[in-house]
């Protein structure tokens, strides 16, 4: 396990992912990661698998922080499932930016077999994101890898799977397979 911790201020989300309104994910990230009232940070274990040109080790500790008043006061207007998925989307925005050098360029369309189009500035990839409150992150990640690899574009891509309860994230690069 690495000892060094990477820090990320959640208020940077909209700055680091400017092509979409990534700030919409902030309250969901806070709601899912804030274990107790008044807590203003959470540390996630991020496992990087097959990420090209990664200049970091395979497992990183990522501390995400937010202002004390960031937790929504009222219950969300979405289901618990949506809260978890949108929190995972916010975490994915951070992870792909910090560790993969990618920015989301647009939301994918129905049938694309992934959630977002991402780019490193010279090449486009698909990004599939999933979140869960269970500890079974491996099977969820595997299912999303299979889904991404069935995309109709023959695109390589990334899968980010986040277990919000255990604070574990898998970020993997996936080459398209025929």
């Amino acid at each position: 396990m690495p000892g060094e911790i990477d820090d990320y201020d959640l208020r940077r989300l909209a700055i680091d992912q400017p092509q979409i309104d990534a700030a919409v994910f902030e309250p969901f990230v806070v709601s899912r990661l804030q274990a107790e009232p008044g807590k203003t940070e959470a540390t996630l274990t991020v496992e990087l698998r097959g990420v090209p040109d990664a200049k970091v080790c395979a497992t990183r500790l990522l501390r995400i922080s937010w202002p004390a008043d960031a937790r929504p006061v009222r219950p969300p207007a979405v289901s618990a499932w949506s809260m978890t998925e949108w929190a995972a989307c916010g975490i994915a925005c951070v992870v792909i930016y910090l560790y993969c050098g990618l920015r989301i360029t647009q939301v994918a369309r129905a049938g694309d077999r992934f959630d977002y189009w991402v780019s490193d500035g010279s090449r486009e990839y698909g990004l599939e994101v999933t979140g869960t409150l269970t500890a079974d992150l491996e099977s969820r990640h595997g299912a999303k890898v299979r889904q991404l690899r069935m995309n109709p574009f023959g695109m390589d891509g990334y899968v980010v799977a986040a277990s919000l309860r255990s604070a574990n994230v898998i970020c993997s690069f996936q080459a398209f397979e025929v």
Side-chain angles (χ1 to χ4, degrees), residues 2-8 42-44 60-64 99:
E4 184 179 328
I5 297 178
D6 303 311
D7 286 305
Y8 189 85
T43 301
L44 308 171
R60 303 292 297 175
L61 292 177
L62 171 61
R63 180 173 38 227
I64 297 177
Y99 301 121

Side-chain angles (χ1 to χ4, degrees), residues 51-94:
V51 174
D53 302 323
K55 295 177 177 65
V56 294
C57 65
T59 303
R60 303 292 297 175
L61 292 177
L62 171 61
R63 180 173 38 227
I64 297 177
S65 61
W66 54 84
D69 62 351
R71 186 176 181 114
V73 178
R74 293 181 283 181
V78 298
S79 68
W81 180 87
S82 294
M83 276 185 62
T84 301
E85 284 297 307
W86 288 16
C89 287
I91 290 167
C93 286
V94 173

Side-chain angles (χ1 to χ4, degrees), residues 5 8 11 14 27 44 49 54 57 60 66 77 80 84 102 106 108-109 111 114 120 122 129 131 135 137:
I5 297 178
Y8 189 85
R11 293 174 293 187
L44 308 171
R49 296 181 181 173
C57 65
R60 303 292 297 175
W66 54 84
T84 301
L102 299 170
Q106 64 182 321
R109 294 185 311 246
F114 49 80
D120 60 7
S122 61
V129 180
L137 194 56

Side-chain angles (χ1 to χ4, degrees), residues 13 17 23 28 30 39 58 61 68 83 96 101 107 121 125 130 158 161 164 166 172:
L13 204 52
Q17 295 293 351
F28 300 101
V30 173
K39 189 172 179 187
L61 292 177
M83 276 185 62
I96 64 164
V107 176
Y125 304 92
T130 188
Y158 291 80
L164 289 278
S166 65
S172 66

Side-chain angles (χ1 to χ4, degrees), residues 113-169:
R113 306 297 293 177
F114 49 80
D115 298 313
Y116 300 98
W117 289 89
V118 296
S119 176
D120 60 7
S122 61
R123 187 166 174 211
E124 286 192 312
Y125 304 92
L127 171 64
E128 176 59 19
V129 180
T130 188
T132 183
L133 294 177
T134 69
D136 190 15
L137 194 56
E138 285 294 335
S139 65
R140 176 67 68 96
H141 176 261
K144 295 303 180 173
V145 166
R146 289 187 294 281
Q147 177 181 322
L148 174 80
R149 286 184 173 163
M150 293 172 28
N151 77 73
F153 309 102
M155 298 284 298
D156 295 341
Y158 291 80
V159 173
V160 176
S163 173
L164 289 278
R165 182 146 302 138
S166 65
N168 290 309
V169 178

